Amino acid sequence: MSILVVGSVAFDSLKTPFGEKERILGGSATYFSVAASFFTDVRVVAVVGDDFGPEDEAVFRERDVDISDLERVKGQRSFFWKGEYGYDLNVAHTLDTQLNVFADFKPKLSNAARETPYLFLGNIQPQLQAEVREQVRARLVAADTMNYWIESTPEQLSDMLKRIDILIINDSEARALAGEANRVRAARRILSMGPSRLVVKRGEYGAAMFSEESFFATPAYPLEEVFDPTGAGDSFAGGFMGYLAATNATDDGALRRAIIYGSVMASFNVEEFGCERLRRLTYEEINARFKQLRAFSHFEESEMPRRLKK
Amino acid sequence: MSILVVGSVAFDSLKTPFGEKERILGGSATYFSVAASFFTDVRVVAVVGDDFGPEDEAVFRERDVDISDLERVKGQRSFFWKGEYGYDLNVAHTLDTQLNVFADFKPKLSNAARETPYLFLGNIQPQLQAEVREQVRARLVAADTMNYWIESTPEQLSDMLKRIDILIINDSEARALAGEANRVRAARRILSMGPSRLVVKRGEYGAAMFSEESFFATPAYPLEEVFDPTGAGDSFAGGFMGYLAATNATDDGALRRAIIYGSVMASFNVEEFGCERLRRLTYEEINARFKQLRAFSHFEESEMPRRLKK
């Protein structure tokens, strides 16, 4: 099955403790689609400006990502984000955000896009997410959001949440959305808002999945160098949705393996700036890291040794 | 096999968002020994004052914990700690610490204590930990420490680390001890300081174990109510060492299961104030939560679906 992703295709200027890069290709739809493209066919709905050039297009083309629904606006520039990461790479500090073409973005979907069975709503305005969702005959819909929308457009967000199956957000977003410090109660509250599954990205601690009747958690792949965390969440979502769409399975076992593939894709993505690492990735590398995560988290059953009290 | 623990037997005044308690029995050796007593015989080396009464002694006696090496000092009071937890229960704010009998504590070990095969050095002055370690013919030695010793007695701590097999500390302590933000590099650096295994307690995120050649991590048991986090780390260490001593096994598989039993004991301990929950605990409850943690973290093998590029 194929995937439709709506989100940003953008340029990022990044500074990490390991170096800096000016105006490299980024955006939620970019990271998502490159990651998901290893698993299945992906179509991108987004908007770019004149600054989106042939070398940017090549990132999608070399992964056979369909960009026929990518809108190009003449005389304007693409979405731009400038950010910096400190010693603790979990927190991004935004230095500049220029919406540019995104200020008036109204997603126009082709007929092919409307028929896509798997849909991922990247982190954009919740009202746009809801509008796209209504146009697509998807059998499974997942979405991301962020603190900005939780604080500034809670009603639109609440409306969007009623229309999706899976919400994929990070730990602090989950607590903010629920208004609840305890992570288990926060998850329960979010599940009452609409989605039947909540996937929580926990950075260096891995990821967890909650539903009304089940819980699953995996550690992150242990990395000695997290070079650039930009796009980790979207690469995760790309691996997650990519596996589900490729297998067309949404049972609990498939969702668990999807979490592992998401973790694997995110772990590769952060090893280099932008999409550089994902562009060089091989199936053998993905498979090897999947097996390693299994070895890192599994243990044998045991009956507790009972102490005989005197 | 039996365990010797040296640490504090103390009184704590605690305030959490859920309530407060004055002068309840606590201390690292108390939580550790009650948790470990479900698995094997435990002997406590510690010091208390006149305020340690029959109802406190009963906590050890009802669990058949050997307190014949518990020193009692007439005319003085036991170690006292007053602390408060805020909205985020991971961080304890110390309001008062009174060393009392602990100020001049020189552990005196009986002959039986010196022959104990498993030794846990609870969080006390590293020099005392090293002195106790030298007196015990243990086949396996684990230790805890805290930021206070990392900052104030780094040389004593460095000396102690050379004499132990397993260091069991929390996430922020590991990063402080290594002087390294990346958790994998921090672990590697700590392993170069002496211990062959590092166990990192990650609170609501679970626990991880590092050695030169292996990595293991488990999520925490998901709790909707963390009532009182005091003693979670020592209950973890008690379950961990208790399982290893009971089975007299230290291979990687046994160490993984020990981490799970540690996580289980910690998860019960935080459900009520002090040792109350552990005192009522049953083997059936421990076994059930072990099985649940396995169900929460395991997933099936998978070969990645390969997308056929056009």
Side-chain angles (χ1 to χ4, degrees), chain B residues 192-242:
Chain B
S192 76
M193 298 176 182
S196 59
R197 296 260 172 180
L198 169 69
V199 174
V200 180
K201 298 167 287 183
R202 296 169 160 184
E204 283 190 83
Y205 296 115
M209 177 168 61
F210 299 83
S211 75
E212 285 296 346
E213 61 287 318
S214 75
F215 172 73
F216 174 69
T218 177
Y221 184 86
L223 288 171
E224 294 205 33
E225 297 283 356
V226 176
F227 197 81
D228 172 18
T230 312
D234 297 303
S235 306
F236 177 96
F240 177 84
M241 288 292 281

Side-chain angles (χ1 to χ4, degrees), chain A:
Chain A
M1 297 279 155
S2 63
I3 303 179
L4 181 73
V5 54
V6 59
S8 58
V9 172
F11 292 100
D12 297 335
S13 287
L14 306 168
K15 190 172 174 184
T16 83
F18 308 104
E20 44 192 308
K21 284 276 185 184
E22 290 294 321
R23 298 189 67 80
I24 58 171
L25 182 67
S28 59
T30 305
Y31 286 107
F32 178 96
S33 59
V34 172
S37 73
F38 284 87
F39 298 83
T40 192
D41 294 341
V42 187
R43 178 186 295 266
V44 176
V45 173
V47 61
V48 291
D50 289 332
D51 48 356
F52 183 82
E55 71 283 9
D56 304 310
E57 207 172 301
V59 173
F60 297 90
R61 295 217 183 278
E62 74 190 16
R63 295 292 324 149
D64 266 339
V65 173
D66 188 332
I67 53 171
S68 52
D69 286 75
L70 180 68
E71 190 183 335
R72 293 149 196 261
V73 179
K74 286 217 158 61
Q76 286 195 44
R77 290 171 77 79
S78 304
F79 183 87
F80 173 75
W81 180 72
K82 183 173 183 173
E84 188 172 337
Y85 301 89
Y87 192 56
D88 212 332
L89 289 160
N90 289 322
V91 186
H93 306 281
T94 293
L95 303 175
D96 191 11
T97 303
Q98 298 168 14
L99 286 179
N100 300 328
V101 290
F102 246 89
D104 302 307
F105 180 44
K106 293 279 172 230
K108 297 182 248 326
L109 276 63
S110 63
N111 286 336
R114 290 169 192 266
E115 298 296 323
T116 319
Y118 284 77
L119 171 63
F120 181 68
L121 306 168
N123 170 33
I124 55 173
Q125 203 179 323
Q127 195 179 335
L128 285 185
Q129 292 178 311
E131 284 171 16
V132 171
R133 195 272 161 269
E134 288 315 296
Q135 296 176 49
V136 182
R137 284 164 52 98
R139 65 160 288 202
L140 187 88
V141 184
D144 185 11
T145 191
M146 71 186 292
N147 281 347
Y148 179 77
W149 308 119
I150 293 168
E151 285 154 25
S152 62
T153 61
E155 284 165 27
Q156 291 181 15
L157 181 58
S158 165
D159 177 65
M160 183 277 280
L161 290 175
K162 293 187 180 75
R163 303 160 189 245
I164 64 168
D165 302 297
I166 305 176
L167 182 66
I168 306 177
I169 53 181
N170 73 34
D171 205 34
S172 68
E173 288 158 357
R175 296 168 92 189
L177 176 57
E180 171 64 67
N182 178 281
R183 291 170 174 83
V184 184
R185 280 207 306 275
R188 192 176 294 283
R189 193 164 297 176
I190 291 167
L191 291 173
S192 76
M193 298 175 181
S196 59
R197 297 260 172 180
L198 169 69
V199 174
V200 181
K201 299 168 285 184
R202 297 170 158 183
E204 282 191 84
Y205 296 115
M209 176 168 61
F210 299 82
S211 75
E212 285 296 347
E213 60 287 318
S214 74
F215 172 73
F216 174 68
T218 177
Y221 185 85
L223 288 172
E224 294 205 32
E225 298 282 355
V226 176
F227 197 80
D228 172 17
T230 312
D234 297 303
S235 306
F236 176 95
F240 177 84
M241 289 291 281
Y243 177 74
L244 293 179
T247 55
N248 194 26
T250 54
D251 59 286
D252 191 66
L255 285 158
R256 287 174 178 229
R257 291 189 295 278
I259 296 251
I260 304 303
Y261 281 113
S263 303
V264 166
M265 300 311 281
S267 76
F268 282 115
N269 184 66
V270 301
E271 289 183 348
E272 293 178 28
F273 270 120
C275 304
E276 291 310 310
R277 186 66 182 91
L278 292 188
R279 292 176 75 178
R280 286 205 327 275
L281 201 56
T282 67
Y283 284 101
E284 289 67 31
E285 289 175 316
I286 297 170
N287 269 319
R289 212 164 261 195
F290 182 99
K291 287 190 206 329
Q292 282 179 294
L293 269 177
R294 197 160 181 274
F296 290 154
S297 59
H298 279 222
F299 55 92
E300 298 298 314
E301 286 193 62
S302 152
E303 198 65 23
M304 183 180 172
R306 281 177 184 248
R307 175 185 178 211
L308 298 172
K309 287 181 73 177
K310 287 155 195 162

Side-chain angles (χ1 to χ4, degrees), chain B residues 104-243:
Chain B
D104 302 308
F105 180 44
K106 292 280 170 230
K108 295 182 250 325
L109 275 63
S110 64
N111 285 336
R114 291 170 192 265
E115 298 297 324
T116 318
Y118 283 77
L119 172 63
F120 181 67
L121 306 168
N123 170 33
I124 54 174
Q125 201 178 324
Q127 195 177 336
L128 286 185
Q129 291 177 312
E131 285 171 15
V132 171
R133 194 274 162 270
E134 288 314 297
Q135 295 176 50
V136 181
R137 283 163 54 97
R139 66 160 286 202
L140 186 87
V141 184
D144 186 12
T145 191
M146 70 187 293
N147 281 347
Y148 180 78
W149 307 120
I150 293 168
E151 285 154 26
S152 63
T153 61
E155 285 166 27
Q156 291 180 17
L157 181 58
S158 165
D159 178 65
M160 184 276 282
L161 290 174
K162 294 188 178 76
R163 302 161 190 244
I164 64 169
D165 302 298
I166 306 175
L167 182 66
I168 307 177
I169 54 181
N170 72 35
D171 205 34
S172 67
E173 288 159 356
R175 297 167 91 188
L177 175 57
E180 170 65 66
N182 177 281
R183 290 170 175 85
V184 183
R185 280 207 305 275
R188 191 177 295 283
R189 194 164 297 178
I190 291 168
L191 291 172
S192 76
M193 298 176 182
S196 59
R197 296 260 172 180
L198 169 69
V199 174
V200 180
K201 298 167 287 183
R202 296 169 160 184
E204 283 190 83
Y205 296 115
M209 177 168 61
F210 299 83
S211 75
E212 285 296 346
E213 61 287 318
S214 75
F215 172 73
F216 174 69
T218 177
Y221 184 86
L223 288 171
E224 294 205 33
E225 297 283 356
V226 176
F227 197 81
D228 172 18
T230 312
D234 297 303
S235 306
F236 177 96
F240 177 84
M241 288 292 281
Y243 177 74

Side-chain angles (χ1 to χ4, degrees), chain B residues 226-276:
Chain B
V226 176
F227 197 81
D228 172 18
T230 312
D234 297 303
S235 306
F236 177 96
F240 177 84
M241 288 292 281
Y243 177 74
L244 293 178
T247 54
N248 194 27
T250 54
D251 58 286
D252 192 65
L255 285 158
R256 286 173 177 230
R257 291 189 294 277
I259 297 253
I260 304 303
Y261 281 114
S263 303
V264 166
M265 299 311 280
S267 76
F268 282 116
N269 184 66
V270 301
E271 289 183 347
E272 294 179 28
F273 270 121
C275 302
E276 292 310 310

